[in-house]
Amino acid sequence: MVVNILCFSNVVLSAQTTKQDTIVYVSQEYTDAIDAAFIEMSNDDDFIDGYRDIGLIFPIPEHIYSYSNNDYPYPAKFDFSYKEKVFTLCWQINPGSPRLETHELVAKTLVRLLNTRYKINIKYQTKELDTIKLGFFNTLLNAVNSGECQVVVATAIIDSTRSAQVHFQWPFESSSYGFLRSNLDPEIIVNNVQDLNKSGIVIGTSGGSFYESFLLKQVSAAKAITVNTGTQGALQLIKEKKVHAVLGDINDLLTWSRNKTNGCTTGCFVKGFGDPVLMASFTTKNILPTSSSTYFLPTNSTIVKYVSSDFVKAIDAAFIEMSDDDQFIDGYRDIGLIFPIPECVNYFGVAEYPYPDKFDFNHKEKVFTMCYQENAGSPRQEVHELVAKTLVRLLNTRYKINLKYSIKQLDTGKLGYFETIKNAVDSGECQVCVATTIIESERASQVHFQCPYESSSYGFLRSTLDPHIVVNNVKDLNRTGVIVGISGGSFYESFIPQISSATILTSGGTQDLLQLVSQGKVHAVLGDINDLIAFKRKPTNNCTKCNVRGFGTTVEMASFTTKNIIASSASPLSFGALFMVLPLLWLL
């Protein structure tokens, strides 16, 4: 339904339909406009009055910068085709009170501020998304990444894991963790959250929410019941006398406990615990710097896929076995890599690798596809091919199957190395990335790494260009006039701030940049030391007088699969930091 700002409508849709399962990108200007509107919102009188009227007990977070009415950091234009497209905002189905009122207030305020700023009339709608299958956060993440909605206006708690996956706006609400103690088994004394951490206690919470991770880690002795119908669904367990407590947002718990029809006004109580938290809207993190029509599909975009945990466990087990496989070890040695194969953290005997009972992939009808970057060069390509063939051999042997498989080389020119291959496994274009990808925390929050199969070191290759410029270590590259090549989208881009005085070239992969060495166009290239040594040793590269030096610590590299994993077995399916001080509120 298309509605304008004078007519507000809710549309309830599933977050798992084929229609919205395409991957979309937004421009930086579009994201900047949404960010600016949320900064202004924190200072908007109508929004502040509405927030107060809802009865939320914590204050609106103040922005760390002070803006007048005219200097909020809006870009010159709102990069969204509002004349042809409907601006869609979403949140979870059945959020209950006061969540629903808060979400509606945020949505209306956002549209009003954008209309006022850009003198436009946005057609907009809101959607409530069914979170039963994937849980709260993954459902909403999927919705903004697929373009089903442009902005999630649900009150999502900001934390580092989520911030690595979505782009949060300035928070519009603060709150606290809380638990509601039901009147079930009143003889069990519960004075604080630690008292819930005991055998015999049953606790409910919303599946896929921040509270689920708290419940499973901090009160692990209790029995957990997670429901994917939100906090309201978990609170129904209290009416049904199935749980001793529910974990959730303290505002939600207080509102529910005060409703006489819920049968919880006598014997129930609410307590807050922990530090105050900040909650915000978010948009997709798939942002391109160029201004364009706000949403567009990349050339190779396909359906967003989910895989079962059994599928991932089989891949994981095969890589554990690979690190101990004689044929793989011999092939690795023959390639001439200078660092040893890392040992897996856990050692398994030959018959004890942790394979699940079945390989959850429709191998009779589908092709098992593995991928790595185009023009990987030597020794990368040989390593990738060895890994791919070993993986298939181990799976075939273990499960007595005959996998049809293919290996794809992906063009990383548009999005860079990691983003390209991550999109490929998330979209199902390939099932496993067999490229040697450096393991680090930000990447590990976005993909599922297997046991590492290669170790190496950072390095730089010094060309013969301008030999009077002395370069003994990586710090010597940090000077005006020095030209350094670094593969775009690779881990080595993280070193750019350390050599910021140099001119940096980031187009193409490491092999493309190494060709600039042969052409005498760069003074150095940063990359994996094995790649740099192999290039130097090849006579046709005119680099026999070049120097290669390693630096930093040893790194481990691994394959990865998508992190879109569902627990049930099935064929693979198709902020800167914020600091504020709030009083901790304890309520009885």
Side-chain angles (χ1 to χ4, degrees):
M1 183 182 296
V2 177
V3 295
N4 59 34
I5 196 161
L6 300 177
C7 178
F8 196 82
S9 171
N10 284 332
V11 182
V12 178
L13 292 178
S14 167
Q16 287 82 45
T17 63
T18 302
K19 178 181 177 183
Q20 76 275 359
D21 273 343
T22 46
I23 302 171
V24 297
Y25 289 78
V26 297
S27 72
Q28 188 65 55
E29 282 185 333
Y30 165 83
T31 305
D32 289 346
I34 303 297
D35 290 352
F38 273 94
I39 294 171
E40 184 175 3
M41 191 181 300
S42 67
N43 202 31
D44 180 75
D45 289 340
D46 288 349
F47 177 75
I48 294 170
D49 290 343
Y51 185 94
R52 187 186 303 116
D53 291 343
I54 292 171
L56 300 171
I57 59 177
F58 284 80
I60 298 171
E62 292 184 9
H63 200 275
I64 52 177
Y65 300 110
S66 177
Y67 294 94
S68 70
N69 288 335
N70 297 318
D71 67 357
Y72 295 106
Y74 286 97
K77 67 176 182 178
F78 180 45
D79 192 22
F80 180 80
S81 301
Y82 62 90
K83 292 182 179 179
E84 295 107 32
K85 297 179 180 179
V86 178
F87 187 62
T88 305
L89 307 102
C90 59
W91 59 77
Q92 76 276 29
I93 196 171
N94 188 26
S97 183
R99 288 299 121 226
L100 179 59
E101 295 90 336
T102 305
H103 300 162
E104 290 180 346
L105 173 64
V106 171
K108 290 178 179 179
T109 305
L110 175 59
V111 173
R112 171 172 58 80
L113 294 176
L114 291 171
N115 280 340
T116 301
R117 181 71 184 197
Y118 292 106
K119 297 179 173 60
I120 56 179
N121 185 23
I122 297 173
K123 295 173 289 186
Y124 83 98
Q125 65 179 6
T126 65
K127 290 183 180 180
E128 293 188 358
L129 302 181
D130 185 351
T131 61
I132 289 177
K133 185 173 183 180
L134 299 177
F136 169 81
F137 181 71
N138 284 336
T139 299
L140 298 173
L141 168 65
N142 192 29
V144 292
N145 281 346
S146 67
E148 183 181 4
C149 67
Q150 280 69 60
V151 185
V152 166
V153 293
T155 43
I157 292 175
I158 302 169
D159 79 314
S160 58
T161 300
R162 289 177 171 181
S163 294
Q165 301 176 70
V166 299
H167 178 82
F168 277 108
Q169 279 69 51
W170 184 257
F172 59 78
E173 184 179 341
S174 56
S175 191
S176 171
Y177 312 132
F179 68 88
L180 189 154
R181 172 67 169 99
S182 73
N183 47 26
L184 177 65
D185 297 334
E187 69 277 6
I188 299 177
I189 304 301
V190 176
N191 292 317
N192 51 53
V193 72
Q194 288 81 13
D195 290 340
L196 296 173
N197 190 29
K198 61 180 71 171
S199 177
I201 295 284
V202 184
I203 306 174
T205 197
S206 172
S209 70
F210 188 83
Y211 305 101
E212 180 183 24
S213 60
F214 181 90
L215 172 58
L216 297 176
K217 293 176 182 178
Q218 303 298 323
V219 285
S220 55
K223 178 182 178 181
I225 299 179
T226 59
V227 297
N228 282 351
T229 50
T231 300
Q232 298 301 310
L235 287 167
Q236 291 305 308
L237 299 174
I238 288 183
K239 294 181 71 171
E240 298 164 6
K241 299 190 179 300
K242 293 181 177 179
V243 295
H244 296 95
V246 166
L247 264 61
D249 176 80
I250 198 167
N251 284 301
D252 299 359
L253 303 178
L254 282 171
T255 301
W256 194 87
S257 68
R258 290 166 178 167
N259 188 330
K260 295 180 180 180
T261 62
N262 290 326
C264 203
T265 53
T266 303
C268 297
F269 61 86
V270 174
K271 283 197 174 184
F273 62 91
D275 296 324
V277 294
L278 299 173
M279 298 182 285
S281 71
F282 61 81
T283 50
T284 182
K285 205 163 188 173
N286 296 329
I287 304 169
L288 292 179
T290 55
S291 177
S292 61
S293 176
T294 303
Y295 280 84
F296 65 92
L297 302 179
T299 306
N300 64 345
S301 67
T302 51
I303 303 300
V304 175
K305 301 284 185 180
Y306 290 82
V307 297
S308 74
S309 57
D310 277 351
F311 170 81
V312 175
K313 288 175 182 176
I315 303 299
D316 291 352
F319 274 94
I320 294 171
E321 184 176 3
M322 191 182 298
S323 66
D324 202 27
D325 179 76
D326 289 340
Q327 290 184 48
F328 177 74
I329 293 169
D330 289 344
Y332 185 95
R333 187 186 304 115
D334 291 344
I335 291 170
L337 301 171
I338 61 177
F339 285 80
I341 298 172
E343 291 186 9
C344 244
V345 175
N346 298 308
Y347 179 79
F348 295 89
V350 173
E352 299 175 3
Y353 298 108
Y355 287 94
D357 291 336
K358 67 176 182 176
F359 180 44
D360 195 16
F361 181 80
N362 191 356
H363 62 90
K364 293 183 179 180
E365 299 172 13
K366 295 181 179 180
V367 176
F368 183 67
T369 304
M370 296 159 286
C371 58
Y372 56 85
Q373 74 275 31
E374 196 175 60
N375 189 24
S378 182
R380 286 300 116 224
Q381 185 162 343
E382 294 91 330
V383 175
H384 300 161
E385 296 283 334
L386 173 65
V387 170
K389 291 176 181 178
T390 305
L391 175 60
V392 171
R393 173 172 57 82
L394 294 176
L395 291 170
N396 280 341
T397 302
R398 180 72 185 195
Y399 292 106
K400 297 178 174 59
I401 57 177
N402 186 21
L403 277 177
K404 295 174 287 187
Y405 76 93
S406 67
I407 302 173
K408 279 188 177 180
Q409 296 185 24
L410 304 178
D411 181 357
T412 61
K414 185 174 183 180
L415 298 177
Y417 169 79
F418 181 71
E419 195 66 24
T420 298
I421 301 183
K422 174 186 176 296
N423 284 352
V425 294
D426 282 347
S427 68
E429 183 178 2
C430 64
Q431 277 72 57
V432 184
C433 161
V434 292
T436 44
T437 304
I438 293 175
I439 303 170
E440 51 91 26
S441 58
E442 185 173 352
R443 288 176 170 178
S445 70
Q446 301 176 63
V447 298
H448 177 83
F449 278 108
Q450 277 71 51
C451 190
Y453 60 78
E454 184 181 343
S455 56
S456 190
S457 172
Y458 314 133
F460 70 89
L461 183 148
R462 172 66 170 99
S463 75
T464 56
L465 177 64
D466 297 332
H468 62 279
I469 300 176
V470 178
V471 178
N472 293 317
N473 53 54
V474 73
K475 294 178 181 178
D476 290 339
L477 298 173
N478 188 29
R479 65 177 76 174
T480 303
V482 170
I483 305 171
V484 181
I486 299 176
S487 175
S490 72
F491 181 79
Y492 300 100
E493 279 192 322
S494 64
F495 290 102
I496 291 177
Q498 299 179 37
I499 54 173
S500 56
S501 296
T503 299
I504 309 296
L505 303 179
T506 59
S507 59
T510 300
Q511 296 301 314
D512 300 312
L513 292 165
L514 285 169
Q515 292 307 312
L516 299 179
V517 170
S518 297
Q519 298 164 15
K521 294 182 178 180
V522 296
H523 295 95
V525 169
L526 263 63
D528 176 81
I529 198 167
N530 285 301
D531 299 359
L532 304 179
I533 290 174
F535 180 87
K536 168 184 162 58
R537 288 174 175 170
K538 191 171 182 180
T540 56
N541 289 329
N542 300 319
C543 199
T544 54
K545 293 184 178 180
C546 298
N547 290 316
V548 175
R549 297 210 174 181
F551 64 93
T553 58
T554 303
V555 295
E556 294 188 336
M557 298 181 284
S559 71
F560 62 81
T561 51
T562 182
K563 205 162 189 170
N564 296 329
I565 303 168
I566 54 177
S568 58
S569 178
S571 293
L573 306 171
S574 334
F575 204 96
L578 302 175
F579 301 95
M580 63 182 298
V581 178
L582 292 173
L584 180 60
L585 187 58
W586 294 81
L587 296 132
L588 287 173

